Amino acid sequence: MIESRELKTMDEMEQIQGLERKVWGIDTIPTHQTLTAVKNGGIMVGAYDGKQLVGFSYGFAGFHHGKSYLCSHMLGIDDAYRSKGIGEMLKQKQREMAIEKGYDRMQWTYDPLETRNAYLNLTKLNGICDTYLENCYGEMQDGFNKGLPSDRFEIHWHLTSPHVVEKQLPNIESAVSLSTLTFNNAGLPIFVADEITELTEDAYSMAVPKDFQGLKAASQELAMDWRLQTRKQFQNLFKAGYVAVHLKSHENYGEYIFVKKDTLDLGGDQ
C-alpha cells in the first residue's frame, strides 16, 4: 500500500537526497535549500511503501507578473515502482496541499518527446501547455538528457478551474494531423511534416515516438531530427494561439492534441 504525505524535517530531506541519487545519478539539491523552501511556501511530498521512500515531488514558490504560483521543480520515482500510478498520486497530493496554502496555479517543465510524462501531465492531470522553452537547462549530462538540447514544455496546471476539476476536454476526434509517422528499415520512427500553410482548424494532432529514450540509444542523429522538427511545429502552434491539452497513447507512438486556448475554461486565469 503506497501512501503519500508532506515532508518537513531534515531527516526527510536527507531521504530525498538518497532517492535523487538513485533516480538520476547526479549531484543532489542541498538539504538546507529544500528545508528552507518547505518552510517558506514550498511543498515536498513523499510516497512511501511502508518506511521506504519510493517517490517524491518537490515544488517551491514562484512569482510572475504580480501573481504567485507553485513551481513544481522535481518529480522522481524509484525505477522498481514505475507505472504504478505513483506520479499521479504525488501530483494530486501536491495539488491538494497547494490549494490549502493559497495557490491556484502550479507549473513545471518536461521534455515534450517523453510520452510517459506527457500522458500524466496532460491526459491524467488536465494540465495545458502553450510555452516552448528551447534548451531550457543547457547541455545536461545525465543519462536521460545527454546529447540533445534540453527543450521543454512548460505545463500550467490551473488547480481550481473547471478544466481541471471537471476534467473538461474539447472535441478532439476531428483533430487535423500535422505530421505523418513512418518507419525506416531499422524500424525506427521518422518525422514527416504535413503540408499545412495556415493554422485555422479547431484542433490539430501530432505524432511523437512512444519510446524516445530507445530511439535516442539507437540513433542520436534521428533523435536530434525529431527534436528540431517538432520544436518548429510546437512553436508554430503556440504562436497561433493553440495549447497542448491531451496525449493519446497508441501501440508504438503518442499523439498530441492541440486546441485554441480561448476555448478552455481556466477559471478566468488565461
Side-chain angles (χ1 to χ4, degrees):
M1 181 68 178
I2 308 297
E3 298 181 339
S4 63
R5 67 172 187 265
E6 183 177 12
L7 307 183
K8 297 180 178 180
T9 70
M10 181 61 78
D11 286 345
E12 291 168 334
M13 298 305 114
E14 290 173 353
Q15 289 182 39
I16 295 296
Q17 283 190 320
L19 189 53
E20 280 185 74
R21 294 188 192 97
K22 188 173 184 180
V23 172
W24 291 292
I26 57 176
D27 291 340
T28 61
I29 301 176
T31 54
H32 64 78
Q33 197 281 337
T34 52
L35 188 65
T36 300
V38 299
K39 289 181 177 180
N40 292 275
I43 298 173
M44 183 77 82
V45 180
Y48 284 85
D49 183 359
K51 294 184 179 180
Q52 180 185 356
L53 179 71
V54 299
F56 76 94
S57 185
Y58 168 53
F60 48 81
F63 192 78
H64 185 63
H65 288 169
K67 188 174 179 60
S68 63
Y69 61 91
L70 185 70
C71 177
S72 186
H73 180 54
M74 300 180 79
L75 187 148
I77 300 170
D78 190 314
D79 282 348
Y81 287 82
R82 288 183 176 272
S83 300
K84 297 181 182 294
I86 294 175
E88 183 179 7
M89 179 183 69
L90 286 167
K91 297 304 291 187
Q92 293 292 2
K93 182 66 175 180
Q94 194 178 35
R95 173 181 177 270
E96 173 189 322
M97 294 172 54
I99 292 171
E100 289 177 357
K101 292 179 183 292
Y103 296 108
D104 61 13
R105 193 179 77 187
M106 193 186 305
Q107 63 187 58
W108 63 92
T109 63
Y110 79 96
D111 186 332
L113 294 177
E114 295 290 349
T115 56
R116 183 195 299 266
N117 294 341
Y119 187 77
L120 170 63
N121 296 334
L122 301 176
T123 305
K124 301 288 285 186
L125 300 178
N126 271 48
I128 65 169
C129 176
D130 65 354
T131 303
Y132 192 92
L133 305 172
E134 287 190 28
N135 204 23
C136 179
Y137 301 111
E139 301 303 317
M140 302 177 73
Q141 298 303 313
D142 65 283
F144 284 102
N145 298 287
K146 188 175 181 180
L148 292 180
S150 57
D151 291 16
R152 294 293 185 266
F153 268 12
E154 182 178 272
I155 288 288
H156 290 182
W157 201 18
H158 298 268
L159 304 178
T160 59
S161 70
H163 180 71
V164 171
V165 175
E166 300 170 13
K167 289 197 169 292
Q168 295 180 350
L169 187 64
N171 180 15
I172 62 174
E173 299 307 319
S174 60
V176 175
S177 176
L178 288 171
S179 64
T180 301
L181 189 68
T182 61
F183 294 86
N184 64 15
N185 292 335
L188 299 176
I190 299 172
F191 182 90
V192 180
D194 291 341
E195 294 296 328
I196 296 178
T197 57
E198 189 176 2
L199 298 171
T200 59
E201 300 292 340
D202 293 335
Y204 288 97
S205 68
M206 189 162 67
V208 292
K210 188 71 171 284
D211 179 14
F212 188 61
Q213 290 299 319
L215 170 63
K216 188 169 71 168
S219 173
Q220 189 82 12
E221 180 181 0
L222 193 53
M224 180 66 81
D225 185 67
W226 271 97
R227 170 69 83 218
L228 298 180
Q229 288 213 59
T230 56
R231 172 195 285 178
K232 180 180 178 180
Q233 296 289 335
F234 290 141
Q235 289 177 329
N236 287 341
L237 282 159
F238 296 156
K239 184 178 180 180
Y242 292 86
V243 293
V245 295
H246 192 74
L247 184 113
K248 291 183 178 181
S249 182
H250 301 280
E251 182 178 356
N252 56 5
Y253 69 99
E255 183 184 12
Y256 273 108
I257 305 295
F258 302 84
V259 302
K260 282 287 191 178
K261 186 176 182 179
D262 59 16
T263 65
L264 304 178
D265 189 347
L266 303 176
D269 181 11
Q270 299 292 318

